[in-house]
Amino acid sequence: MSIRKIVTIVDEIRTEGGRPVEPVARVAVVAAVIANPWAGQGFVEDLLPGIDAHASDIGALLAPRVVEALGATVEAYGKAAVVGLDGEIEHGSALIHTLKFGDHFRTAASATTLLPALEKRGPAGIVFDIPLKHITDATIRSHHQSFEVRIPDAPHPGEIVIALAAAAQGRPQQRLASLSTEQ
């Protein structure tokens, strides 16, 4: 796996709605900009060899880094793959929609739910939102959130940005009723 760069973002929200956020709301993102393993090959029917060669390694690289960057217990998490213009959205999906990738983050976060995901194709500097949900119950509304990311020089046409996001809490100042109140 050829990695051009790794980007780490840590966001702290200290006030929301004009009120202090106690404790401070933290979100961390770690993204790797990698060479697309299928770039320049035309249509690749069988993606499995590339998945086997790269998905676990990228998951093992990113999962501990995002947990460490968060510096707190992970309560919400998500993932993203942004494919450069010479690739297919399926290339990003192939790397992140496999247990070989996701189980590294589930283990690091002590999570049991599926990771919410974003996949898209775009030019360098494209903005993408990583969806996050609670690590053990995807119906917990307070933890439904997203985090906007932009890496100015990525992805190049033959690259993929693979990113993980972790939050130490739900949305700051959340006050929606539990989903169970509507059932």
Side-chain angles (χ1 to χ4, degrees):
M1 174 174 49
S2 175
I3 301 171
R4 181 166 64 87
K5 68 190 288 182
I6 296 174
V7 176
T8 302
I9 300 164
V10 178
D11 187 70
E12 291 186 353
I13 300 174
R14 297 177 173 268
T15 62
E16 179 73 21
R19 294 185 175 191
V21 174
E22 299 289 339
V24 170
R26 291 177 61 89
V27 177
V29 174
V30 176
V33 180
I34 67 169
N36 182 337
W38 300 283
Q41 297 179 38
F43 187 86
V44 177
E45 187 68 42
D46 184 6
L47 300 177
L48 191 56
I51 294 167
D52 287 343
H54 303 291
S56 182
D57 290 345
I58 194 71
L61 173 72
L62 297 178
R65 286 176 181 244
V66 73
V67 172
E68 181 182 347
L70 184 63
T73 300
V74 177
E75 287 190 15
Y77 68 166
K79 61 186 175 183
V82 182
V83 180
L85 294 175
D86 286 348
E88 299 173 41
I89 293 171
E90 189 71 0
H91 296 163
S93 295
L95 293 175
I96 67 170
H97 289 302
T98 173
L99 296 176
K100 294 171 185 178
F101 174 80
D103 277 352
H104 291 285
F105 200 8
R106 268 185 286 284
T107 298
S110 300
T112 56
T113 59
L114 293 176
L115 280 150
L118 164 113
E119 310 88 19
K120 70 189 295 184
R121 179 178 41 232
I126 191 167
V127 174
F128 59 98
D129 290 340
I130 303 175
L132 293 97
K133 299 222 176 176
H134 194 276
I135 63 167
T136 61
D137 184 349
T139 68
I140 296 177
R141 285 182 172 172
S142 60
H143 289 59
H144 292 197
Q145 55 191 312
S146 61
F147 190 82
E148 183 177 281
V149 179
R150 178 179 176 271
I151 302 173
D153 68 340
H156 290 171
E159 292 180 332
I160 304 175
V161 174
I162 304 290
L164 294 179
Q169 70 297 308
R171 296 181 310 278
Q173 314 295 25
Q174 77 79 30
R175 51 199 177 273
L176 295 178
S178 166
L179 181 62
S180 63
T181 64
E182 293 184 20
Q183 296 176 345

